[in-house]
Amino acid sequence: MTTVSDDRTGFAPDDDAPIPYMARTREYYAAIGYTTPYRWAHYVGAPFQPLRKPLAQSRITVITTAAPFDPAKGDQGPGAKYNSGAKFYSVYDGDTSRTHDLRISHIAYDRVHTSAEDSGSWFPLPQLLRLASEKRIGEVAPRFFGAPTNRSQRATIETDAPEILVRCQADRVDAAVLVPNCPVCHQTVSLVARHLEANGIPTVVMGCAKDIVEHAAVPRFLFSDFPLGNSAGKPHDVASQAFTLELALRVLETAPSAQTTVQSPLRWSADPSWKRDYNNVAALSAEELARRRREFDAQKQIARTLRDTAA
């Protein structure tokens, strides 16, 4: 159904506002039977580290929550269902001089309005390499880093963020671009960004879940009002991906202080009613909610087993 603005006022449709992911997620898990509400990371201030050298002289890295494709771990292709077997549970890195196949099949991205066909919409390394060749940035760091998506904020704060910091320092990184996918991914990279910034490395988060990132209080945030899974731009739209990364770098350069949010002017669709669908319990039957609970419990057990094995 197409929504239109009020002819008399010119106001935007009610749907044309950022999705309240924290509230939707809380309501969804309550509806499928989980009684303890998840507590999202919340800060009222953020560390802030200005760039120490011009961007054209800076070494930049990417921090992602996407997972390297492993054919032994089940369906990870476009539109694949939630696949907890494809998750990773410790920080990893990748050689930025090589091509990588990263997937988000284990992530709660928006499977209704996007299909995860184009990794350029969540992994901006190719665009960053292009900007290095054009001298927009000094160079791309030798490695990018994978941040595990942990529901445990303590694990992120005490284990994963410090490990990413050590690797960034080893690579003499001047700044980092962090790109999340699912709701908890947005929290994860926000916590990592805060830790890097507190230890001297400027950051910018590129994301689609405005409420989660701002609740965690990050130094710099480029908000794209797109379905989850498209933090780096629209799929199969190189111009959108190039513009999104360029805008993120401008935020990195020009943010005057911590907790600077800039919203991309790009729109996913002229009709904002797509925003109604994500985890909207009002649109789900009791039978569908029960089915989703069974499916989630099964995936949760797989994840628990893999996490225990990794530990």
Side-chain angles (χ1 to χ4, degrees), residues 1-208:
M1 182 176 74
T2 301
T3 54
V4 296
S5 61
D6 188 305
D7 290 338
R8 292 170 298 174
T9 64
F11 292 166
D14 289 343
D15 289 325
D16 206 353
I19 295 173
Y21 285 104
M22 291 189 296
R24 291 266 187 101
T25 301
R26 187 178 298 115
E27 291 165 2
Y28 176 78
Y29 283 103
I32 65 173
Y34 288 92
T35 57
T36 303
Y38 184 67
R39 183 184 181 190
W40 295 92
H42 184 206
Y43 296 94
V44 296
F48 185 77
Q49 174 64 54
L51 280 171
R52 294 180 175 175
K53 59 179 74 172
L55 201 60
Q57 300 172 19
S58 296
R59 175 178 282 191
I60 312 297
T61 193
V62 173
I63 297 171
T64 180
T65 57
F69 173 64
D70 183 343
K73 292 183 176 178
D75 187 5
Q76 298 148 72
K81 292 183 178 180
Y82 173 50
N83 179 359
S84 61
K87 289 174 73 81
F88 59 98
Y89 296 93
S90 58
V91 174
Y92 76 86
D93 56 57
D95 182 347
T96 57
S97 69
R98 300 177 58 187
T99 299
H100 296 270
D101 186 359
L102 301 186
R103 308 285 180 97
I104 58 173
S105 59
H106 66 298
I107 298 296
Y109 67 89
D110 188 332
R111 286 173 165 80
V112 175
H113 296 285
T114 192
S115 63
E117 295 178 344
D118 177 15
S119 65
S121 63
W122 67 80
F123 185 53
L125 179 59
Q127 288 296 332
L128 198 64
L129 290 167
R130 175 185 61 80
L131 291 178
S133 71
E134 295 173 358
K135 308 302 182 185
R136 173 71 174 92
I137 64 171
E139 61 181 327
V140 178
R143 295 181 294 176
F144 70 89
F145 305 107
T149 300
N150 276 301
R151 286 186 172 272
S152 165
Q153 294 113 339
R154 177 172 293 181
T156 300
I157 292 168
E158 296 182 357
T159 302
D160 301 331
E163 176 61 27
I164 291 172
L165 173 65
V166 168
R167 299 190 193 199
C168 285
Q169 290 172 332
D171 286 0
R172 303 189 308 280
V173 166
D174 293 310
V177 176
L178 299 94
V179 191
N181 295 290
C182 75
V184 177
C185 285
H186 280 73
Q187 175 179 256
T188 295
V189 301
S190 297
L191 296 175
V192 172
R194 290 177 57 88
H195 188 77
L196 294 181
E197 205 93 17
N199 288 277
I201 298 178
T203 65
V204 60
V205 173
M206 301 166 63
C208 301

